[in-house]
Amino acid sequence: MIIKTKKYQLPTGTYIKMGLVNVLKEQWWVILIALAICCGYFWIPSFWWIFGGLIGYGLYVLFWAIQFTGVTQMEQNKVIFEKLAYEIDSRQILMKINTKQGMPVQWNMIKKAEIGKDAFVLYMSKAQFIHLPFKIFNSENERKFLETILKRKELI
């Protein structure tokens, strides 16, 4: 069975938000470094320790926000933010710009998958993922079939 979805365009704001959340989840330990710097207050009492730790963590988050915003502006990444239709089967995910142009994504390229309250998210790396909202599927059976594929591939 092949799942053929409706066309969908990933909004740049959604990409930036999801990418930033993914990086902060994967690199949760960075907040521990910021907290360790803040704990310098107990060694030498000065609010500069707390200020420095918070500023450092803020700059870290800002760095990643700029990275993800930059991806949306690069010419070679414009394809990601065009209207795409997806054809999904147990061999691959075919991202189609039109009936003649498309790009296959093999299942072994997908590192993990998540099922959110309104979408599937298939992660290939920190900055690369496929966002498949439930609304692009033609039926409930197609959503369940994709969920079955993800379970069979041990991605969820």
Side-chain angles (χ1 to χ4, degrees), residues 17-19 21-26 107 110-125 129-134 137 143 146-147 150-151 154-156:
K17 180 182 162 197
M18 291 177 65
V21 166
N22 185 42
V23 165
L24 295 178
K25 274 187 198 175
E26 279 188 19
W107 283 108
I110 308 293
K111 303 282 189 261
K112 69 176 182 172
E114 291 179 358
I115 302 175
K117 64 179 187 233
D118 62 348
F120 292 102
V121 183
L122 312 174
Y123 293 98
M124 294 180 275
S125 71
F129 54 86
I130 299 172
H131 182 253
L132 301 170
F134 294 156
F137 293 98
R143 279 185 22 205
L146 178 56
E147 192 172 338
L150 294 174
K151 286 179 182 174
E154 297 178 358
L155 295 169
I156 54 172

Side-chain angles (χ1 to χ4, degrees), residues 17 60 89 134 140 145-146:
K17 180 182 162 197
Y60 172 79
D89 61 25
F134 294 156
E140 184 69 28
F145 181 64
L146 178 56

